[in-house]
Amino acid sequence: QSVLQDAYESGELRGKKLMTVRRLIEERRHLGKRLDRRHGTGSKKKGPSSTSLVRAYNQEVERQKLLIHKADQVQQRMAFLTGALATLLSDDNFINLLRAEGLDTLPKPLDERIRSTGAKSG
């Protein structure tokens, strides 16, 4: 608490940053240092310093930015694939080929997503 107060008073942590660091501290208190994958087991240090709190906050921000970037990529790829499948499934010749090969069904979530684009999906 005193380190957190020092970081607040020095202006290093304010507002959302302060709340995020408090949440990280609570997570570490409950889960230990297993969240810090790079260092394996935790150091034998007694408590966190304001610098280590800021570093932990910045690492969490970077981790979340990477997660958002990956989610955006997945969403873009899914939109592309859904559009491509919708286009293919609007072609009667393609539908007939799928039926002939016994591939005339889609997984329900994919079928619903394609139907929501407004295309027909045999």
Side-chain angles (χ1 to χ4, degrees), residues 2-20:
S2 64
V3 172
L4 201 57
Q5 183 177 351
D6 292 343
Y8 176 79
E9 288 173 357
S10 70
E12 289 181 87
L13 294 174
R14 296 277 185 188
K16 285 186 177 183
K17 288 183 179 183
L18 180 65
M19 297 308 291
T20 302

Side-chain angles (χ1 to χ4, degrees), residues 22-91:
R22 288 182 71 184
R23 183 182 51 80
L24 286 172
I25 290 171
E26 285 301 314
E27 284 179 8
R28 282 202 173 179
R29 197 173 285 155
H30 291 291
L31 301 174
K33 279 199 139 186
R34 74 175 181 86
L35 295 175
D36 192 2
R37 294 174 200 97
R38 282 181 261 171
H39 297 98
T41 59
S43 63
K44 302 296 180 194
K45 213 171 163 185
K46 279 196 171 199
S49 66
S50 62
T51 306
S52 68
L53 292 177
V54 171
R55 187 176 340 109
Y57 170 78
N58 289 331
Q59 287 174 346
E60 180 69 9
V61 166
E62 288 305 313
R63 186 187 71 79
Q64 288 182 10
K65 283 181 183 178
L66 181 62
L67 190 64
I68 290 168
H69 178 70
K70 287 181 179 181
D72 287 342
Q73 284 183 331
V74 169
Q75 185 176 9
Q76 288 173 0
R77 289 177 183 155
M78 190 65 176
F80 172 78
L81 291 172
T82 302
L85 272 174
T87 301
L88 286 171
L89 292 173
S90 67
D91 182 355

Side-chain angles (χ1 to χ4, degrees), residues 85 88-89 93-107 110-111 114 121-122:
L85 272 174
L88 286 171
L89 292 173
N93 292 326
F94 185 72
I95 295 295
N96 290 333
L97 176 64
L98 289 176
R99 284 187 184 128
E101 296 295 325
L103 301 171
D104 54 345
T105 60
L106 289 173
L110 183 59
D111 187 45
I114 291 171
S121 61

